[in-house]
């Protein structure tokens, strides 16, 4: 029975760092999806190998910039 005091042990654990990492991963995934859609829209102008290379370069630059 509660004694009227707030008991933190009843709450789920919130870890700030894991939230930041999850947010960064979600933002990176969204950026990759947007770029892939843009490349798909312009696939007539770009050969498939060039589009794949651009997407790989973008992913690499994202990973370098996040850490």
């Amino acid at each position: 029975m509660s004694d009227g005091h707030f008991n933190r042990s009843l709450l789920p654990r919130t870890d700030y760092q894991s939230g930041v990492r999850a947010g960064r991963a979600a933002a990176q995934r969204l950026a990759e999806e947007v770029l892939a859609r843009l490349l798909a829209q312009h696939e007539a102008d770009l050969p498939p190998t060039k589009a794949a290379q651009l997407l790989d370069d973008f992913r690499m630059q994202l990973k370098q910039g996040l850490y």
Side-chain angles (χ1 to χ4, degrees), residues 3-47:
D3 60 359
H5 293 289
F6 184 72
N7 189 350
R8 288 189 182 270
S9 65
L10 299 176
L11 296 175
R13 183 173 173 208
T14 57
D15 192 2
Y16 178 78
Q17 276 301 94
S18 66
V20 169
R21 284 191 298 270
R24 283 183 179 171
Q28 181 177 355
R29 192 170 43 253
L30 179 63
E32 289 175 5
E33 289 174 9
V34 169
L35 180 62
R37 274 189 255 138
L38 283 172
L39 291 173
Q41 287 177 355
H42 298 285
E43 70 180 320
D45 301 334
L46 293 170

Side-chain angles (χ1 to χ4, degrees), residues 44-65:
D45 301 334
L46 293 170
T49 57
K50 181 65 173 174
Q53 181 185 5
L54 287 171
L55 190 57
D56 288 341
D57 290 344
F58 182 74
R59 285 180 181 143
M60 188 179 297
Q61 288 182 15
L62 270 181
K63 288 182 189 256
Q64 289 174 353

